[in-house]
Amino acid sequence: MQRKYKYATISMLLIITVLSVVSGLKIIRMSDNNIEEEYQYVDVPALSTDQPVTSTSMKITKPYSNKNVAIAIDYYDKDSDNQEKSIIVTDKTYMPNVGILYSNKEIFDILCILDGTVSEIGKNDLIGNYVKITHSNNIVSLYQIIDDIKVKKGDYVKQGDKIGTSSTSTLNEGNLLLFELLIDDQNVNPEKYYNKDIKEI
């Protein structure tokens, strides 16, 4: 009699265990279905590729904002009729100006012409302190005869940021900035590139 109860008890325990396992599997499947239902509607890309996040379009600006700044020595153009106005004279040495020498009676701020990275800062006996900035599209700007430098090598600077201030030199009278613009490692006349979109270069 006791054996019958023993077998009955064991059988009941087995049935309860099997039912528990089956119920657990159903719960897991229901959870999976709920997860699928929860996420099946989230099928929209996080970022649309129809419009760019930022525009690569930017126009080159002048390296100063002071309206009184004027050209002291122009860019040397071998095809120009005014070549004598584009020669830098130093200690009986004559050399063509590969940039533009700007001048003003008072000190003026020198500004970055485009977003870029400061790639070099140095000093030269002839032109004093200089700052070189590398931009996109193989464009390089070189600011010479500059004081009170506000940047250091490796800095990322934005268009219009102050780089420093004008300084004095034996090259000419007044407060000066000798500015060079290079495209594909070739000096060009900066005055022909102001307000030009870099996409057009």
Side-chain angles (χ1 to χ4, degrees):
M1 204 60 186
Q2 291 179 353
R3 281 187 179 180
K4 287 183 180 179
Y5 288 122
K6 189 175 183 181
Y7 288 131
T9 302
I10 292 170
S11 298
M12 287 297 291
L13 288 172
L14 286 171
I15 290 169
I16 290 169
T17 302
V18 170
L19 288 174
S20 297
V21 170
V22 171
S23 297
L25 290 172
K26 284 184 179 179
I27 290 170
I28 291 170
R29 285 179 183 168
M30 287 174 63
S31 297
D32 289 343
N33 289 337
N34 289 339
I35 290 170
E36 287 176 5
E37 288 177 5
E38 184 179 348
Y39 289 101
Q40 66 183 351
Y41 299 105
V42 186
D43 194 24
V44 179
L47 183 65
S48 172
T49 56
D50 293 339
Q51 296 179 348
V53 176
T54 57
S55 173
T56 55
S57 176
M58 186 174 282
K59 292 184 179 180
I60 296 174
T61 58
K62 292 184 178 183
Y64 58 88
S65 59
N66 190 314
K67 293 180 180 179
N68 295 321
V69 173
I71 296 175
I73 301 178
D74 211 342
Y75 175 84
Y76 180 85
D77 185 347
K78 59 184 177 65
D79 298 322
S80 172
D81 295 331
N82 296 321
Q83 292 179 351
E84 65 276 2
K85 294 182 179 179
S86 306
I87 301 294
I88 294 177
V89 182
T90 59
D91 297 330
K92 299 180 181 179
T93 301
Y94 296 81
M95 57 185 182
N97 187 14
V98 294
I100 291 186
L101 185 66
Y102 294 104
S103 176
N104 190 38
K105 290 181 179 179
E106 299 177 352
I107 295 173
F108 59 94
D109 291 341
I110 296 172
L111 312 176
C112 183
I113 63 162
L114 285 171
D115 295 2
T117 302
V118 178
S119 52
E120 190 177 339
I121 293 178
K123 188 172 184 178
N124 182 286
D125 291 337
L126 179 62
I127 57 173
N129 299 318
Y130 66 88
V131 175
K132 185 177 183 180
I133 299 178
T134 302
H135 313 277
S136 59
N137 289 32
N138 295 319
I139 299 172
V140 173
S141 56
L142 185 57
Y143 311 78
Q144 302 158 103
I145 315 176
I146 178 172
D147 276 340
D148 193 24
I149 296 173
K150 302 294 185 183
V151 296
K152 61 183 183 300
K153 185 176 180 179
D155 281 354
Y156 182 78
V157 288
K158 302 284 286 181
Q159 184 180 65
D161 284 352
K162 182 177 177 179
I163 300 168
T165 57
S166 58
S167 186
T168 56
S169 168
T170 57
L171 296 183
N172 209 290
E173 296 179 353
N175 287 274
L176 308 172
L177 163 66
L178 179 57
F179 178 70
E180 293 182 33
L181 182 65
L182 296 91
I183 299 175
D184 295 327
D185 296 323
Q186 299 294 320
N187 281 87
V188 296
N189 185 349
E191 290 285 327
K192 292 184 176 180
Y193 286 85
Y194 296 144
N195 295 320
K196 182 172 281 192
D197 197 306
I198 61 172
K199 286 182 177 181
E200 300 174 11
I201 297 174

